[in-house]
Amino acid sequence: MSDYGFTTRTVHAAQDAGAEHGAVHMPIHTSVQYGFQKVEDLIGVFQGRIKGGFNYARQGTPTTAALEALVTRMEGGLGSISFATGMAAITATFLTLLRAGDHVVSSKFVFGNTNSLYGTLADLGIATTRVDTGDVANVEAALRPSTRLVFVETISNPGTRIPDLEAIGRLCRERGLLYVVDNTVTSPYLFQPRSVGASLVINALTKSIAGHGDALGGTVTDTGLFDWQGYPNIFANYRSGDAKQWGLTQIRKKGLRDMGGALSSDHAHRIMVGAETLELRCDRTSATAFALAKWLQAHPAVARVHYPMLENHPQHAAAKKHFKSGSWLLSFELADPARLVPVIDRLRLPVSATGLADTRTLIIPVAPTIFWEAGAEVRADMGIADGMIRLSVGLEDERDLIADFEQALAG
């Protein structure tokens, strides 16, 4: 079905894959164990000589495999591995591909929990240098002989900064570095990181792809662009067979078999059902977010609005070039930070909650919640003002949301 559009391919994925009994959804496989009539086949699966077999649900089930195939197709990749959460996918990538003494260059505007993870890596002897990746020169200046990996997000949360995606891809290719791109905010519908040379793509499936706030999950997708034969951290046991599979094999064996961050079949099923409306949801929420951003920008109570499709956004040109639209992520700063709590409390439609990409609009004051633990110094370096509010725009009618913000800001 390669000639069909994004949503057509997605909604027919189960039938295209040959789902049993003509089912239009892949079934939920709840079995933990998988038996074999011939023990030789069981041995073959364990030793990697038989591909696509299942032995224990911690390393995958037919349901999670179907989800992995769907995400791989969405991202135009070589293969994917699913995890229980997006953070499990990021953590497994770092801990399976890096060793003590290695160095990472990262955007300094990353998701708060990813930023926290860097502290854990430091305790394990893996150093991280955080830079403004909006300029590739900052990335290049931070490289060391021990650098193994460069990590960025397509649109940062909550500040909506965008890296110099293409130039970083060229730099990583020239230096033989892994280029890891978190595509959670944009999703593979709005952007494919493979187009800028990404080696690995992370998706927190909980957000854009699932989209209904009812399932956790994450994936790592190998784009097939990285030469694993030159990567020093691949274990000897996995340096056999097709070299393009070495990275995925190591992440699956170490990240799922050893670390146990497995995705349940139930959540994999929910995510696949949610993915069927990804394009429709992204188009609707992006359009509403853009309209709301323009309205907020004109309001006297708002000091600043952060949204990539606004012409005054510092990376507006990059957003227009790479992304189909601006996504559901929007943040703005109140002119008077003291009004932060009263304004949010007066809103009727947005749900005061952490989380992103739900069907409902979600709202949270950034500094006293998700970035409180980071401290004032880190917040200042990341451009997170005390009066910043983050929105994940949902499917409500545009006019209803704008009217709600109008009454809340007028109070």
Side-chain angles (χ1 to χ4, degrees):
M1 301 186 71
S2 58
D3 294 335
Y4 290 102
F6 185 92
T7 297
T8 302
R9 295 194 307 271
T10 302
V11 298
H12 289 281
Q15 295 158 292
D16 194 35
E20 296 94 324
H21 310 298
V24 297
H25 290 290
M26 294 300 291
I28 303 174
H29 293 267
T30 60
S31 182
V32 174
Q33 285 83 18
Y34 292 83
F36 295 81
Q37 292 184 343
K38 295 181 179 180
V39 73
E40 294 94 325
D41 292 339
L42 175 60
I43 294 170
V45 170
F46 264 85
Q47 294 182 1
R49 290 183 286 102
I50 296 178
K51 303 297 181 183
F54 303 93
N55 54 48
Y56 195 72
R58 192 187 331 118
Q59 293 187 65
T61 69
T63 313
T64 60
L67 172 62
E68 290 166 359
L70 177 62
V71 174
T72 298
R73 185 159 58 181
M74 286 179 167
E75 288 289 5
L78 176 72
S80 300
I81 302 171
S82 58
F83 289 87
T85 65
M87 280 308 304
I90 293 172
T91 302
T93 299
F94 286 159
L95 293 184
T96 61
L97 298 179
L98 299 172
R99 297 177 179 177
D102 286 345
H103 175 245
V104 174
V105 177
S106 170
S107 167
K108 70 178 182 179
F109 303 112
V110 294
F111 177 51
N113 293 140
T114 304
N115 189 62
S116 177
L117 175 61
Y118 292 152
T120 302
L121 294 181
D123 291 340
L124 298 174
I126 300 168
T128 303
T129 300
R130 303 166 179 86
V131 301
D132 183 348
T133 53
D135 186 345
V136 69
N138 297 329
V139 177
E140 187 168 19
L143 297 180
R144 305 175 185 174
S146 57
T147 305
R148 296 279 177 258
L149 184 155
V150 176
F151 181 89
V152 300
E153 298 168 344
T154 52
I155 301 177
S156 70
N157 163 30
T160 72
R161 303 291 189 99
I162 299 169
D164 194 349
L165 291 161
E166 279 185 310
I168 296 173
R170 287 194 297 270
L171 176 66
C172 289
R173 185 169 59 252
E174 292 165 3
R175 302 294 183 91
L177 300 172
L178 275 169
Y179 184 22
V180 183
V181 178
D182 188 325
N183 198 29
T184 295
V185 175
T186 37
S187 84
Y189 168 62
L190 296 182
F191 176 62
Q192 282 190 343
R194 191 183 193 279
S195 66
V196 294
S199 314
L200 299 174
V201 180
I202 306 289
N203 277 288
L205 304 174
T206 316
K207 313 309 196 286
S208 297
I209 293 179
H212 292 76
D214 65 348
L216 290 165
T219 48
V220 181
T221 300
D222 189 324
T223 64
L225 299 179
F226 187 73
D227 183 7
W228 292 102
Q229 294 179 89
Y231 192 68
N233 293 356
I234 297 296
F235 289 86
N237 285 353
Y238 309 136
R239 288 183 173 272
S240 62
D242 184 1
K244 285 186 174 294
Q245 295 289 336
W246 290 358
L248 286 174
T249 298
Q250 182 155 308
I251 295 170
R252 187 178 295 277
K253 294 291 188 182
K254 297 296 181 181
L256 286 180
R257 184 195 64 190
D258 296 355
M259 299 177 190
L263 176 67
S264 72
S265 290
D266 178 65
H267 277 208
H269 171 79
R270 290 171 185 247
I271 292 165
M272 283 188 283
V273 173
E276 295 179 357
T277 59
L278 174 59
E279 178 178 355
L280 308 180
R281 288 182 286 103
C282 280
D283 285 345
R284 170 67 175 257
T285 55
S286 292
T288 303
F290 189 26
L292 182 58
K294 289 186 289 186
W295 184 89
L296 287 167
Q297 190 171 237
H299 199 286
V302 176
R304 191 176 181 187
V305 180
H306 305 274
Y307 192 70
M309 292 303 163
L310 293 175
E311 291 186 0
N312 64 351
H313 189 281
Q315 291 91 38
H316 173 68
K320 290 283 288 184
K321 178 179 181 180
H322 293 299
F323 309 146
K324 285 189 178 75
S325 57
S327 93
W328 35 260
L329 179 64
L330 159 68
S331 63
F332 66 97
E333 300 167 23
L334 292 173
D336 181 4
R339 299 186 65 203
L340 188 70
V341 171
V343 166
I344 295 175
D345 277 345
R346 277 195 294 273
L347 287 164
R348 303 185 184 105
L349 292 177
V351 180
S352 295
T354 190
L356 296 165
D358 201 312
T359 52
R360 303 148 196 81
T361 295
L362 307 177
I363 190 168
I364 194 166
V366 178
T369 57
I370 52 178
F371 276 88
W372 176 251
E373 187 178 322
E377 185 176 343
V378 171
R379 289 197 297 272
D381 188 48
M382 295 180 68
I384 297 174
D386 289 342
M388 179 180 278
I389 293 172
R390 185 189 75 184
L391 289 173
S392 170
V393 176
L395 298 178
E396 298 94 344
D397 289 314
E398 174 188 310
R399 64 179 183 180
D400 294 334
L401 276 175
I402 290 176
D404 197 18
F405 275 92
E406 186 171 24
Q407 65 82 22
L409 289 168

